[in-house]
Amino acid sequence: MDIPKYRFYTKTHEWALPEGDTVLVGITDYAQDALGDVVYVELPEVGRVVEKGEAVAVVESVKTASDIYAPVAGEIVEVNLALEKTPELVNQDPYGEGWIFRLKPRDMGDLDELLDAEGYQEVLESEA
């Protein structure tokens, strides 16, 4: 299972990558694998203000639909419109082209409350 360093992770299988004053968010390799073939992504609305842990998007696969949660509080400033036509990018490149949304955190320090790669690996091992 691919777990890149230099990202933050949640126990609900989202990743967060700080880029300047924003954070790019997607789902982990583990999550996309568990979902199976992604067929639709319901993107959040740009400008929406969200709280940490709030459901902000939905990823639908041939197996199920799964909520995607905000890893930190902030404002959605961009969504990955490519997923509207090519939702399978979530499966093909979950840490790159398959990102879901970008948000501007209320406080970048909130990222410190998330898991690092090692911590996320421990979560996966405890679920196995």
Side-chain angles (χ1 to χ4, degrees), residues 32 34-40 59-66 91:
Q32 70 78 24
L35 282 169
D37 293 336
V38 173
V39 295
Y40 177 74
V59 174
E60 293 182 18
S61 71
V62 293
K63 294 181 186 177
T64 187
S66 183
N91 294 117

Side-chain angles (χ1 to χ4, degrees), residues 20-35:
D21 65 347
T22 66
V23 176
L24 201 61
V25 179
I27 64 171
T28 65
D29 188 32
Y30 172 86
Q32 70 78 24
D33 186 60
L35 282 169

